[in-house]
Amino acid sequence: MRARLVAGNWKMHGSLAANQALLDAIAAGVDAVECAICMPFPYLAQGRERLRGTQIALAAQTLSEHASGAFTGEVSGAMLAEFGCRYVLVGHSERRQLYGESDQQVAAKFAAARAAGLSPILCVGETLAERDAGRTEAVVARQLEAVLDRSGFEDAVLAYEPVWAIGTGRNASPQQAQAVHAFLRARVGTEARILYGGSVKPANAPELFAQPDVDGGLIGGASRVAQDFIAICAAAKRKG
Ligand code: PEP
């Protein structure tokens, strides 16, 4: 059976003091489900110290596709691994939309993460215009195939994040999520974990996580509110 995973994406939020309080609360409250916190780069050392010996994995939000070199401002997979990261987000829609990351660049970052021994969490998802045009499956297949053409998927995680649901308060219905997850499952196989992301909150998490191909969540806004993140993790615990 696939182990559930709940990953919090803190985006560009936080401070040393606020992080410490949030990590303390999450570490004290999360019980018996695998979870990860994707922290901004400067705080990875703080996260490594605080999360040592807990069940909470440290993660980053992106990485360079290059192993090293003259790439000012970039951070390599090896650096993330040295700071204790286990996971790294790859191809988050904000990276694709705001920083112009192409499918090929995302595929290169995915390969770089694996080469550094990290588990990439590959984000795919359609815009509202693409969904309305009936192109959801074509878009997520294109995003995924670019990666699979280049790399295997062992140890990786897939996250279906409809762009129209991120930070909008409008989540995909459990049925909409399950339909896309089942489509993706046919490509990545029964072993791979597929997370749903997009306005997951304590109130909608139980129904989303009850879908057979939803193996947990990628959580943005609610991951910055300790009680909400803890409740979402509790909803991800397998029943029975
Ligand atoms: C995200 O940023 O990946 C995300 C899912 O954000 P939110 O939960 O705020 O929609």
Side-chain angles (χ1 to χ4, degrees), residues 9 11 92 94 161 165-168 197-201 218-222:
N9 175 13
K11 310 195 184 196
H92 190 280
E94 287 155 14
E161 295 208 303
I166 296 179
T168 60
S199 296
V200 178
K201 308 288 177 209
L218 178 54
I219 319 298

Side-chain angles (χ1 to χ4, degrees), residues 6-30:
V6 179
N9 175 13
W10 283 8
K11 310 195 184 196
M12 199 176 72
H13 294 294
S15 66
L16 284 170
N19 298 346
Q20 201 63 30
L22 193 49
L23 291 171
D24 284 348
I26 290 171
V30 169

Side-chain angles (χ1 to χ4, degrees), residues 17-109:
N19 298 346
Q20 201 63 30
L22 193 49
L23 291 171
D24 284 348
I26 290 171
V30 169
D31 176 33
V33 70
E34 190 182 338
C35 77
I37 308 282
C38 308
M39 296 181 71
F41 291 142
Y43 300 127
L44 290 176
Q46 179 188 25
R48 178 176 57 170
E49 277 310 302
R50 180 59 190 87
L51 299 179
R52 201 191 300 277
T54 74
Q55 68 189 89
I56 303 167
L58 185 63
Q61 300 173 12
T62 186
L63 80 166
S64 171
E65 62 268 47
H66 303 287
S68 65
F71 301 106
T72 301
E74 292 290 283
V75 173
S76 73
M79 294 172 186
L80 299 180
E82 194 172 21
F83 273 79
C85 287
R86 168 148 178 229
Y87 298 99
V88 59
L89 300 181
V90 174
H92 190 280
S93 63
E94 287 155 14
R95 302 294 315 174
R96 293 180 192 261
Q97 293 198 318
L98 302 176
Y99 300 97
E101 290 188 8
S102 65
D103 291 339
Q104 283 60 42
Q105 193 178 6
V106 170
K109 288 180 179 230

Side-chain angles (χ1 to χ4, degrees), residues 141-178:
R142 189 203 72 223
Q143 293 170 333
L144 178 57
E145 295 307 335
V147 166
L148 296 181
D149 281 351
R150 178 169 179 157
S151 305
F153 210 77
E154 308 79 30
D155 298 328
V157 177
L158 189 55
Y160 169 55
E161 295 208 303
V163 178
W164 47 272
I166 296 179
T168 60
R170 178 183 168 192
N171 62 288
S173 71
Q175 295 71 27
Q176 286 174 320
Q178 170 58 27

